[in-house]
Amino acid sequence: MRRAVCPGSFDPVTNGHLDIIGRASRLFDEVIVGVLVNQSKQGLFTVEERIDMLREVTGSYENVRVESFRGLLVDFCRAQHASVLIKGLRAVSDFDYELQMAQMNIGLAGVETLFMPTNPLYSFLSSSLVKDVAKWGGDISAHVPDVVRDELVARLRR
């Protein structure tokens, strides 16, 4: 079985993330969306909330599942029997960092990294930017699924 991991914090998931996940789902038998548990960084949404939103918005993909992980990504890949990581690249600046990570991952555990260029519609999009726009009352409906928009707006009202 060809299995890949698509890792990230997904705080929150954007249409750019979903584009990469959907395209990866056509290339692999199974795609595992790995939600990073980062104890040193407080997200807007809890890991459980991010997992719930991801499961809802990826529900139409029969070969995608969502799990959380902590520690080294390559250890998560080993535990999931996945030999490939999927990473979306928005710009050349993403490549510099991701190349270093890819080289470390292949050296540590033989895990390959497949870089996927983002759809140009999402090349500027990031979770941080979406949160900033939403915080100031901007319309984010073109950038996130409806359920994520609703959760984000509700969270920022508190």
Side-chain angles (χ1 to χ4, degrees):
M1 176 178 274
R2 297 173 311 155
R3 186 175 287 141
V5 169
C6 188
S9 58
F10 305 102
D11 188 33
V13 62
T14 69
N15 289 340
H17 293 129
L18 291 175
D19 176 61
I20 297 295
I21 292 166
R23 288 164 52 204
S25 76
R26 293 190 300 271
L27 298 173
F28 292 91
D29 298 318
E30 183 176 32
V31 174
I32 303 139
V33 178
V35 180
L36 173 65
V37 177
N38 187 344
Q39 304 286 16
S40 63
K41 189 174 175 184
Q42 179 65 36
L44 180 63
F45 293 101
T46 67
V47 171
E48 293 77 17
E49 289 169 328
R50 288 182 258 159
I51 288 171
D52 288 345
M53 284 187 281
L54 275 159
R55 285 183 176 152
E56 184 166 345
V57 300
T58 62
S60 63
Y61 300 109
E62 293 181 11
N63 63 333
V64 172
R65 66 183 163 93
V66 181
E67 304 290 340
S68 66
F69 74 96
R70 48 175 43 92
L72 290 176
L73 178 55
V74 293
D75 291 338
F76 178 70
C77 290
R78 270 194 218 119
Q80 300 298 321
H81 306 287
S83 59
V84 178
L85 288 169
I86 306 292
K87 300 294 286 198
L89 296 178
R90 293 172 293 195
V92 172
S93 56
D94 287 347
F95 182 75
D96 291 336
Y97 172 76
E98 294 297 347
L99 178 61
Q100 290 178 336
M101 297 302 296
Q103 290 169 332
M104 181 62 78
N105 291 335
I106 192 93
L108 285 173
V111 175
E112 294 286 355
T113 302
L114 172 63
F115 295 121
M116 297 183 86
T118 59
N119 181 319
L121 291 172
Y122 310 120
S123 63
F124 65 91
L125 194 55
S126 70
S127 295
S128 298
L129 185 57
V130 165
K131 287 186 283 194
D132 284 345
V133 170
K135 178 174 72 174
W136 296 105
D139 182 10
I140 57 168
S141 56
H143 309 300
V144 295
D146 291 345
V147 64
V148 174
R149 181 201 60 223
D150 295 347
E151 291 289 335
L152 186 53
V153 169
R155 177 62 46 96
L156 292 172
R157 281 190 189 140
R158 292 183 201 165

